[in-house]
C-alpha cells in the first residue's frame, strides 16, 4: 500500500517536472531548477517504493544513498527557486543585491550543513515500515535544520507573494510541507506526501509566473462636446 503510494508520488513529481521544464522560457531559469528538484524528489520516493522488490543488501544501499545527497543539496535550492519566482511576480525587494547575497550565503550554509549531517556522516541502517524496505541514516541526530530553515523561508516568500499578487499557493504549500514533515517523524511517508503538495504549489507558482503581464488598457479618447448653435 505505502509502496504503491510512493510510486504514484514519484510519477506525479515527474509530471510536475515536465510541466515546469516546458515553462522555462516563459517563467525564467527558476522553472528549470524546479524541474530538477522535482526529478530528485521523484527518485527519493521511487527508491523507497522499490525497496521490497530489491530486498535489503548492497543493491538497495546503493539505490538509497543518493537520497541523502538529493535532500542535502536540492532542498535548500527551493529558496533560490521560490525567491526567483517571487521576484518575477513583482516582489521587488527580493531583487536587491544585498538580499540576493544574503540568500546565497544562507543557501550555501544550509547545503553545507546538510552535506555534513546526511552525507559525510551517513551511516545506513535497514528500516522496515508496512510494505516498504529502505535504508535510514543511523547517524542522524536532532531536527533537520536545513529543511526547517528552508520551509520557514518559503513561508516568508509565500507571504510576500500573497500580498503582492494575491496568489496564496506557495504559502499554503510551504505550510503543508512544514506540517507533513513534523508528522513524518512517526510515519515517514507523510513527508513524501508533503513534498508532493509543496511541489504542486511551486509548479503552480511557475505557471503563474509564466503568464504574460496584463496589457495596460489604452485610455479612452476624450470627446469634446459638440458646439451648440
Amino acid at each position: 500500500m505505502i509502496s504503491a503510494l510512493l510510486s504514484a508520488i514519484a510519477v506525479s513529481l515527474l509530471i510536475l517536472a515536465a510541466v515546469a521544464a516546458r515553462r522555462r522560457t516563459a517563467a525564467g531559469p527558476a522553472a528549470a531548477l524546479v524541474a530538477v528538484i522535482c526529478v530528485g524528489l521523484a527518485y527519493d520516493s521511487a527508491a523507497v517504493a522499490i525497496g521490497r522488490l530489491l530486498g535489503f543488501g548492497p543493491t538497495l544501499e546503493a539505490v538509497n544513498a543518493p537520497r541523502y545527497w538529493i535532500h542535502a543539496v536540492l532542498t535548500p535550492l527551493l529558496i533560490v527557486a521560490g525567491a526567483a519566482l517571487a521576484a518575477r511576480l513583482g516582489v521587488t525587494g527580493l531583487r536587491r543585491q544585498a538580499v540576493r547575497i544574503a540568500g546565497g550565503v544562507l543557501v550555501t550554509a544550509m547545503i553545507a550543513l546538510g552535506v555534513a549531517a546526511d552525507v559525510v556522516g551517513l551511516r545506513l541502517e535497514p528500516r522496515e515500515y508496512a510494505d516498504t524496505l529502505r535504508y535510514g541514516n543511523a547517524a542522524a541526530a536532532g531536527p533537520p535544520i536545513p529543511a526547517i530553515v528552508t520551509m520557514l523561508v518559503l513561508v516568508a516568500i509565500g507571504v510576500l507573494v500573497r500580498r503582492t499578487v494575491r496568489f496564496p499557493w506557495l504559502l499554503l504549500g510551504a505550510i503543508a510541507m512544514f506540517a507533513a514533515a513534523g508528522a513524518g517523524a512517526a510515519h515517514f511517508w507523510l513527508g513524501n506526501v508533503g513534498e508532493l503538495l509543496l511541489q504542486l504549489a511551486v509548479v503552480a507558482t511557475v505557471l503563474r509566473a509564466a503568464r504574460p503581464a496584463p496589457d495596460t488598457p489604452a485610455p479612452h479618447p476624450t470627446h469634446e462636446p459638440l458646439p451648440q448653435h
Side-chain angles (χ1 to χ4, degrees), residues 137-164:
N137 184 7
I145 300 301
I148 292 173
V149 170
T150 297
M151 290 309 106
L152 290 176
V153 173
L154 283 179
V155 167
I157 294 173
V159 169
L160 294 174
V161 171
R162 171 70 179 83
R163 289 178 178 174
T164 303

Side-chain angles (χ1 to χ4, degrees), residues 17-185:
V19 171
R22 291 186 65 180
R23 300 303 192 280
R24 63 188 181 278
T25 300
L33 178 56
V34 170
V36 171
I37 293 171
C38 286
V39 171
L41 295 177
Y43 179 93
D44 176 63
S45 290
V48 180
I50 65 174
R52 180 66 65 178
L53 299 176
L54 298 177
F56 289 127
T59 301
L60 187 58
E61 284 189 20
V63 168
N64 272 238
R67 295 172 51 226
Y68 297 93
W69 276 103
I70 288 168
H71 282 285
V73 176
L74 295 187
T75 296
L77 290 178
L78 281 167
I79 296 174
V80 177
L85 291 171
R88 195 175 185 90
L89 287 171
V91 183
T92 55
L94 294 177
R95 299 175 185 169
R96 296 175 184 171
Q97 185 175 11
V99 174
R100 296 173 68 179
I101 292 174
V105 171
L106 176 63
V107 170
T108 302
M110 291 303 100
I111 290 175
L113 185 59
V115 169
D118 290 330
V119 177
V120 175
L122 181 62
R123 182 160 56 89
L124 293 173
E125 68 173 9
R127 294 179 183 173
E128 185 172 359
Y129 180 100
D131 65 336
T132 65
L133 301 179
R134 74 190 195 281
Y135 280 90
N137 184 7
I145 300 301
I148 292 173
V149 170
T150 297
M151 290 309 106
L152 290 176
V153 173
L154 283 179
V155 167
I157 294 173
V159 169
L160 294 174
V161 171
R162 171 70 179 83
R163 289 178 178 174
T164 303
V165 291
R166 305 289 185 185
F167 187 82
W169 296 111
L170 183 59
L171 172 60
L172 294 176
I175 292 173
M177 179 67 241
F178 200 86

